[in-house]
Structures are given as structure tokens and as C-alpha cells.
Amino acid sequence: MKKKIDNEEIVIASHNKGKVSEIKDLLKNYDLKILSSSDLGIEEPEENGSSFEENAIIKSSVTSALSKTVSLSDDSGLCVNALGGQPGIYSARWAGPDKDFLYAAEKIHENLLEKGADDYSAYFICVLAVSWPDGDHKVFKGRVDGTLSFPPRGDNGFGYDPIFTPLGYTHTFGEMEPEFKHSISHRNHAFNLFSKELLIEKQ
Ligand code: IMP
């Protein structure tokens, strides 16, 4: 079994400010020095895997090899049931080079209207991958189910948050307080599995 990650440096393999801030919040009760790829000037590698798991491992292993420290990556996305799971691993790419998520949300809406879909159910997936400089890695997966609604609502969060309402709630992720969203998100579910196996809480 891999030894616990405690009292050491860990690099979050991402340049996405929203993601990095959510992961930092999740890691606040642990004795770790947290840096991101942006802090170290490490480029994000090309995500050419065919699944969330493959892409997460590509990001954490490349970052760990370059930084020579433990690296944590997150590959996540929104899967829309009526669209056969799209945008899925292409969630970031649907927003185009300008990372315009209002445009991406509109594209999803148009696709649903074109199909005449009445099923607006969707889910977010998050795969966290941890890589060690010796080449070893582990993955943890979380999911949250919900419904899409248009137009987008709320200015909090990032990405597709303003169109996603988790099951059992009436507010979109974009309308929720960030701490609350973090406590019920797909990232939190994956993070719980990761922390249970590999982290030690501060005393
Ligand atoms: P990647 O993991 O860097 O390929 O990007 C995942 C993309 O999925 C993000 O850019 C967001 O568009 C979307 N996404 C993942 N998690 C969330 C979330 O918690 N809220 C909103 N959008 C998300």
C-alpha cells in the first residue's frame, strides 16, 4: 500500500483557477504545502486520452515527473444523458478557445432543442489522479446527478455551474455559496475517497 501524503509539497496539475481554488479549499485541513502548475510554470500537457481516468493520469504523471513532487490532477466534465454523455471529456473544449461557458451552455441547449429532448438530466464526473515521482499513480472517482435548466442562473462557481441543479435542490451550483457547492460536488465525492486512503487530518 502507498504511504500517506503528509507534511509535504503537493502540486495541483491545473491552470484552471476555479478548480485549483475548489481543491485548495478541500485540502485546507491537511498539513500540505499546496502549489499549482501555474505557480511552477509547468504547462498543461495535451489531454489526448479517451476517458476521464486517462486524462487525469496524463496530467498528474507529467506534472509529477517535472516537479519531482506528488501531483494531484482533476479531470472532470458534464455528461448530458439525452446527448449520449456529451460533452463529457470534451467539456472544456466545448467552450472554445475563449473558454466561453455561456456559449457552451447555449450549445448544449440548442442540441437538446434540436433533438426535441424532454430529458434534461445530466451528471458531473470528477476523476482525481495522484501521481508520485516514482511513476506510481492512483485514481478516485466522484459523481453528482442533477438537471439542466436554461437560461443560466448564478454568478458563483465556474464552467457549467449556472445551468446545473443537483438532485434534491432548487438552486443551480452557480447560485450556491462556494463552500456549500464544494461540500456536495462530484469533486468532494472523489476527494473523500482520496483523503480517506491517502491523507492524514491536522491535529
Ligand atoms: P478539464 O478537466 O480541465 O478537461 O475541464 C473540465 C471542464 O468541465 C471544466 O472546464 C468545466 O467546464 C467542466 N466542469 C468540471 N467540473 C465542474 C464544476 O464543478 N462546475 C462546472 N463545470 C465543471
Side-chain angles (χ1 to χ4, degrees):
M1 195 160 101
K2 208 71 197 173
K3 86 176 181 50
K4 301 265 184 186
I5 304 166
D6 186 34
N7 198 11
E8 58 191 287
E9 202 166 90
I10 182 163
V11 180
I12 303 171
S14 178
H15 287 253
N16 178 329
K17 285 194 184 125
K19 240 191 220 181
V20 172
S21 123
E22 190 166 331
I23 295 173
K24 279 189 172 166
D25 189 37
L26 289 164
L27 286 170
K28 67 176 184 260
N29 295 329
Y30 301 90
D31 215 354
L32 299 167
K33 179 168 181 222
I34 306 159
L35 296 169
S36 72
S37 319
S38 319
D39 298 329
L40 299 179
I42 296 175
E43 299 268 315
E44 281 199 60
E46 196 192 338
E47 292 179 32
N48 51 14
S50 57
S51 64
F52 289 110
E53 285 84 351
E54 280 181 23
N55 283 336
I57 294 167
I58 289 170
K59 290 187 274 193
S60 61
S61 57
V62 167
T63 307
S64 178
L66 290 173
S67 65
K68 301 190 173 47
T69 61
V70 178
S71 172
L72 176 66
S73 74
D74 160 314
D75 201 63
S76 46
L78 178 71
C79 304
V80 182
N81 288 317
L83 303 182
Q86 291 188 91
I89 60 168
Y90 301 106
S91 292
R93 276 167 263 185
W94 272 38
D98 296 334
K99 304 197 171 153
D100 182 348
F101 283 97
L102 289 178
Y103 165 76
E106 195 45 48
K107 201 157 136 187
I108 290 178
H109 196 194
E110 277 167 13
N111 275 275
L112 287 168
L113 292 173
E114 255 169 45
K115 279 201 168 256
D118 17 72
D119 174 11
Y120 275 37
S121 67
Y123 55 95
F124 274 119
I125 290 282
C126 169
V127 172
L128 291 177
V130 186
S131 289
W132 286 264
D134 66 5
D136 199 5
H137 62 253
K138 283 211 137 207
V139 295
F140 304 90
K141 190 169 183 175
R143 167 175 172 153
V144 64
D145 285 84
T147 313
L148 302 181
S149 59
F150 303 92
R153 301 195 317 265
D155 298 322
N156 292 334
F158 65 98
Y160 297 95
D161 281 342
I163 58 167
F164 184 86
T165 302
L167 282 187
Y169 298 88
T170 51
H171 289 100
T172 67
F173 268 169
E175 293 174 307
M176 292 177 177
E177 286 304 320
E179 292 72 24
F180 187 74
K181 179 216 160 178
H182 300 171
S183 73
I184 60 169
S185 76
H186 46 311
R187 200 158 287 106
N188 183 57
H189 296 316
F191 185 83
N192 282 341
L193 299 173
F194 157 61
S195 59
K196 214 166 157 190
E197 185 164 333
L198 291 173
L199 300 181
I200 298 173
E201 276 217 54
K202 271 187 217 168
Q203 293 305 311

